[in-house]
Amino acid sequence: MSKSFTIKDLSARSGLNVRTIRYYIAQGLVPPPLGRGGGATYETRHLERLQLIRRLQDAHQPLATIRAQLEGLDDAEVRAALQKEPATPPTPSAGSARDYVAQVLSGMASGSLPAKPATKAQDLGRKDDKSLPRSHWERITLHPDIELHVRRPLARAQQRRLEELITQAKRLFDLDP
């Protein structure tokens, strides 16, 4: 049986203030409570979603990205995501620059949560769906014959990894004859 909490209990357990919790509910990041008014109650599933949101925000994920990730998850998947260790960016080691660039690339490509399934608007290439985050592609020249294509915007953590990747790649290409 699931525990039930008041919003004040949920706030204390999650470390988020009541106003933030209500905002997340209004934004669809967390399901609404059971009941209304002063008798409204929240369950463990609400707390787990709030904990996952907090973890993703600590990883500098924007709310739009978090919303997209959470939409496809049921309560068991949220719980499983919380069980996983948060991803940490790779650190340079004594290995070659190529190994490090591969490490950074694999870190950028891997996510701790499954991607949101494509919507009909995405399938048709339409841009009229207001819920889809706007993005654009940027070309970054690493070498006269090599470009890196990056979808913007990036989360802060991904931006830092990208900057490190560019630095390492340019150094690597400058070393080649």
Side-chain angles (χ1 to χ4, degrees):
M1 182 167 159
S2 181
K3 284 187 171 184
S4 64
F5 311 104
T6 65
I7 195 155
K8 287 182 181 178
D9 294 335
L10 189 63
S11 173
R13 289 177 184 261
S14 68
L16 299 168
N17 66 42
V18 169
R19 188 174 180 166
T20 300
I21 294 170
R22 288 190 174 130
Y23 175 77
Y24 289 163
I25 292 168
Q27 293 298 308
L29 293 163
V30 177
L34 306 171
R36 293 182 157 240
T41 58
Y42 300 83
E43 298 177 325
T44 305
R45 66 190 183 105
H46 293 94
L47 177 60
E48 290 170 341
R49 276 195 188 260
L50 291 170
Q51 290 170 335
L52 185 55
I53 291 168
R54 188 105 190 234
R55 179 183 288 180
L56 293 170
Q57 283 183 321
D58 288 345
H60 305 288
Q61 295 290 320
L63 274 182
T65 302
I66 294 171
R67 180 183 297 107
Q69 290 175 331
L70 289 178
E71 281 178 354
L73 300 180
D74 62 20
D75 295 340
E77 291 169 322
V78 168
R79 196 171 304 111
L82 282 171
Q83 305 274 328
K84 293 181 183 177
E85 288 295 316
T88 56
T91 55
S93 62
S96 73
R98 283 193 177 133
D99 294 339
Y100 180 66
V101 170
Q103 233 184 336
V104 172
L105 280 173
S106 68
M108 287 177 70
S110 67
S112 60
L113 298 174
K116 177 184 169 189
T119 64
K120 292 221 182 244
Q122 288 169 321
D123 291 341
L124 299 174
R126 294 193 324 240
K127 294 183 181 180
D128 56 26
D129 186 348
K130 301 292 184 207
S131 67
L132 296 176
R134 292 183 178 252
S135 65
H136 67 277
W137 286 92
E138 178 183 348
R139 291 179 175 186
I140 300 170
T141 303
L142 300 175
H143 189 266
D145 298 325
I146 300 173
E147 283 184 342
L148 178 64
H149 293 235
V150 179
R151 185 187 307 259
R152 298 283 187 180
L154 289 176
R156 278 184 251 172
Q158 287 181 323
Q159 180 62 35
R160 283 193 300 270
R161 289 181 185 144
L162 175 64
E163 289 166 2
E164 183 64 28
L165 171 67
I166 292 167
T167 301
Q168 293 292 334
K170 285 186 176 182
R171 194 181 90 202
L172 178 67
F173 291 123
D174 287 342
L175 295 176
D176 285 344

